[in-house]
Amino acid sequence: MLGLLILAIGVLVVGLVATIMIGESKSNKKTDPTYFKSTGKNWARLSGIYVGCIVVLAVIMIVVWKM
């Protein structure tokens, strides 16, 4: 059970790192220079997705742990 929790958290962390790397890439800045004009909205949306995933994961893990 602990292994699944560690795996799930690892996937979330890898997804976060990949998202940041893509957002900060040179090719992204060259292709769409207006992308960084709305970074507040983009970061808020991404943060909401990650928080939502963490909450869902926590609920699932609690339910499974109690079984």
Side-chain angles (χ1 to χ4, degrees):
M1 182 58 81
L2 183 61
L4 288 175
L5 181 61
I6 292 171
L7 179 64
I9 291 171
V11 168
L12 285 171
V13 169
V14 169
L16 176 64
V17 170
T19 301
I20 291 171
M21 288 176 62
I22 291 168
E24 294 294 325
S25 69
K26 289 181 182 180
S27 63
N28 189 30
K29 290 178 184 177
K30 286 181 186 177
T31 306
D32 189 7
T34 61
Y35 177 81
F36 288 97
K37 290 185 179 180
S38 63
T39 55
K41 291 179 184 178
N42 292 339
W43 284 110
R45 195 171 327 155
L46 284 171
S47 298
I49 291 169
Y50 279 107
V51 169
C53 289
I54 291 170
V55 169
V56 168
L57 176 65
V59 168
I60 290 171
M61 294 308 292
I62 290 170
V63 168
V64 170
W65 211 292
K66 299 258 179 184
M67 294 176 105

